[in-house]
Amino acid sequence: TQLLEQSPQFLSIQEGENLTVYCNSSSVFSSLQWYRQEPGEGPVLLVTVVTGGEVKKLKRLTFQFGDARKDSSLHITAAQPGDTGLYLCAGVGSSNYQLIWGAGTKLIIKP
Amino acid sequence: KAGVTQTPRYLIKTRGQQVTLSCSPISGHRSVSWYQQTPGQGLQFLFEYFSETQRNKGNFPGRFSGRQFSNSRSEMNVSTLELGDSALYLCASSPLQGGSRSPLHFGNGTRLTVT
């Protein structure tokens, strides 16, 4: 069974600080998706990383897929209150193409 | 383009009752997936329907069932409700089956409270 461990589970920081969220597994994924969910809404896809070592940037958010395609990270530079939300990673299984979800990181950015 | 619509937004039910939740996918999307989200368990996959057929199923008891209509709209039913069924139920649509070959588009969910 493929599992995705996401850390930290909860993070509360001041506006302007940097942070990194991690998704780790012992399994290989064909790709990995990152979603953000704001209170009262459903998750919204931020990015999909496909190639080992791939780095994608979305404004102040930087996503990286590990070389071995077993892990991924999300780095936020100069966090803003608008970044507050639940960040979810979802790996695409290499054998059955089903999504494997991390438990999520609840991020609070204090003004 | 209208997004994924879930109705109702909130529901309060009593133990033992049953409930039906509805999901209208984005026009043209043939896949509808259902998820249960709780603070303790995160996002748990219930099942996926594609072209009116259940294609994948998560590890939930038979009290949880669903169906998809010819217009791709989907319903989820939970019978004999238990307190532990209290959760946010999310529906997601995508053009292709599996959620991996095309991104999932989520609705805003139905918040079910069982008392």
Side-chain angles (χ1 to χ4, degrees):
Chain A
T1 303
Q2 290 182 294
L3 295 174
L4 255 182
E5 294 186 0
Q6 200 171 333
S7 62
Q9 290 184 10
F10 179 78
L11 190 56
S12 178
I13 62 173
Q14 293 293 139
E15 180 178 0
E17 294 184 12
N18 302 332
L19 67 108
T20 303
V21 176
Y22 300 92
C23 267
N24 294 302
S25 176
S26 58
S27 306
V28 175
F29 293 101
S30 58
S31 64
L32 195 135
Q33 303 171 3
W34 283 92
Y35 291 79
R36 179 170 67 206
Q37 183 178 17
E38 298 186 23
E41 299 182 5
V44 175
L45 179 69
L46 295 174
V47 75
T48 301
V49 285
V50 180
T51 308
E54 182 177 5
V55 176
K56 281 191 174 179
K57 292 193 174 185
L58 191 65
K59 298 182 181 177
R60 294 174 293 98
L61 279 61
T62 301
F63 304 84
Q64 186 163 6
F65 202 14
D67 291 340
R69 292 185 288 131
K70 293 182 178 181
D71 55 85
S72 181
S73 64
L74 157 61
H75 182 79
I76 300 180
T77 303
Q80 304 292 313
D83 296 327
T84 292
L86 178 68
Y87 288 80
L88 295 157
C89 60
V92 177
S94 54
S95 59
N96 60 10
Y97 300 104
Q98 287 303 302
L99 286 175
I100 310 297
W101 291 85
T105 294
K106 186 172 183 181
L107 176 62
I108 295 176
I109 310 299
K110 296 176 283 188
Chain B
K1 207 174 192 182
V4 177
T5 303
Q6 289 189 247
T7 56
R9 286 298 308 271
Y10 302 94
L11 264 177
I12 299 176
K13 291 286 186 178
T14 305
R15 271 181 303 175
Q17 288 185 316
Q18 75 167 18
V19 66
T20 299
L21 313 182
S22 180
C23 173
S24 293
I26 291 173
S27 177
H29 286 194
R30 294 164 62 191
S31 169
V32 173
S33 299
W34 288 90
Y35 289 85
Q36 181 193 66
Q37 187 176 36
T38 58
Q41 297 295 320
L43 211 60
Q44 301 289 314
F45 173 71
L46 281 155
F47 30 66
E48 179 194 10
Y49 285 86
F50 184 84
S51 294
E52 302 179 63
T53 302
Q54 187 180 93
R55 304 292 178 155
N56 290 292
K57 190 176 189 304
N59 189 25
F60 277 81
R63 299 185 297 107
F64 292 82
S65 63
R67 59 177 174 169
Q68 187 179 34
F69 302 95
S70 58
N71 62 358
S72 293
R73 190 177 72 85
S74 177
E75 289 182 345
M76 189 191 91
N77 185 275
V78 188
S79 62
T80 318
L81 284 165
E82 300 177 0
L83 294 179
D85 297 333
S86 293
L88 180 68
Y89 289 88
L90 290 162
C91 158
S93 76
S94 65
L96 302 175
Q97 181 185 339
S100 60
R101 285 163 279 191
S102 56
L104 294 178
H105 298 261
F106 284 86
N108 288 334
T110 293
R111 172 75 62 186
L112 172 65
T113 302
V114 182
T115 62

